[in-house]
Amino acid sequence: MSYVSSTAKTVAGSYEVSVSALTNGYNQAASVPTLPVSGTNVFSVMIDSTTVNTQVTGTYNSATELAKALETAINSDVGLTAAKGQVSVSVDEDSGKLLISSVKTGAESKVNVLSGLDFAGFAAGSGVDGSASVAGTIGGYAARGDGSKLIGAVGTPVEGLTIDISGGTIGDRGSLTYTQGFSFNLDKKLEGMLSTNGTLDSFDKGLNASLKDLQKQQDVVSKRLTATEARYRAQFNAMDRLLAQLNASSTFLSQQISSMQSSS
């Protein structure tokens, strides 16, 4: 299995992956091969709907060498094509057993051992048929299959987590650890800062509110200054008129005093 993609709703964590259906039909050996394998070994298998009667000749000291020889022998059959009947043969790393997988995908993908593969650990019988899509669970949550991709269900911690299941067998596949790196966290931080009602948006709204408040205060102060100026002007004008009256009275009195002095 391999990681494909995730979404912003995928929660970081370690999730056990279990597969209940594969797109490729397969047949896994019941036991490890009896090594070394030597001589001419004739066997018969049915790949998808094609029966293959073939053989391997030579000495094989490892399971890997034997797997390669079986794959070559089966795929060399004249009745097989890449679209119908081709196989891949591999060795399970944990058990050491051989695994024959059909290259074809879908419900018609089948690998049946008919006879003669006892030396490779296979018992005669049907394998596990392929399916239109993989099926299984991620972290114990049912996942949606889309071809070879297994996708975490909506509303679960693994929502949007997509992994590719290529080959292998059904059953537990171990755990997949999903982490959110520096770029993801930076993107989330920027999203929080730049989104509506985010940090910058709230800061901008706060500045606008403060500006409007200052403008209101400026209007109040301006009105107060205008009123004060008008009051001072009115008082100055009244004082100016009073001073003019006093000057006039002073002039009149001065004239009267002068006239009285002249008469005496």
Side-chain angles (χ1 to χ4, degrees), residues 41-234:
N41 293 275
V42 178
F43 64 93
S44 179
V45 293
M46 178 176 285
I47 309 301
D48 303 335
S49 59
T50 302
T51 299
V52 177
N53 297 304
T54 187
Q55 65 185 36
V56 290
T57 303
T59 300
Y60 307 98
N61 295 307
S62 70
T64 302
E65 291 178 352
L66 181 58
K68 182 62 177 178
L70 291 174
E71 180 179 309
T72 300
I74 295 172
N75 290 339
S76 296
D77 188 276
V78 293
L80 303 184
T81 65
K84 180 181 178 181
Q86 294 279 303
V87 299
S88 66
V89 183
S90 58
V91 182
D92 183 78
E93 294 181 358
D94 296 325
S95 65
K97 299 176 182 178
L98 299 187
L99 178 70
I100 305 175
S101 300
S102 172
V103 173
K104 186 176 182 178
T105 60
E108 296 181 357
S109 178
K110 306 173 186 291
V111 177
N112 299 332
V113 175
L114 302 180
S115 63
L117 274 179
D118 298 9
F119 66 92
F122 289 92
S126 302
V128 177
D129 294 347
S131 178
S133 294
V134 296
T137 60
I138 304 176
Y141 303 99
R144 176 174 61 88
D146 182 10
S148 64
K149 295 179 176 60
L150 202 58
I151 305 170
V154 174
T156 68
V158 296
E159 179 176 346
L161 179 60
T162 303
I163 56 179
D164 186 75
I165 306 296
S166 57
T169 62
I170 60 174
D172 294 336
R173 288 295 187 94
S175 63
L176 181 145
T177 300
Y178 170 71
T179 59
Q180 296 168 341
F182 173 78
S183 296
F184 179 89
N185 290 322
L186 177 61
D187 183 66
K188 293 295 290 183
K189 288 290 185 182
L190 291 175
E191 181 181 348
M193 292 174 65
L194 300 175
S195 63
T196 303
N197 297 323
T199 304
L200 292 180
D201 186 58
S202 298
F203 183 70
D204 183 61
K205 289 179 179 178
L207 286 178
N208 288 330
S210 298
L211 180 61
K212 290 180 180 179
D213 186 59
L214 289 173
Q215 288 175 340
K216 289 180 180 178
Q217 293 181 34
Q218 184 181 16
D219 291 341
V220 171
V221 172
S222 179
K223 289 179 180 178
R224 287 178 180 176
L225 289 176
T226 300
T228 300
E229 181 185 9
R231 186 174 69 253
Y232 285 164
R233 285 183 180 277

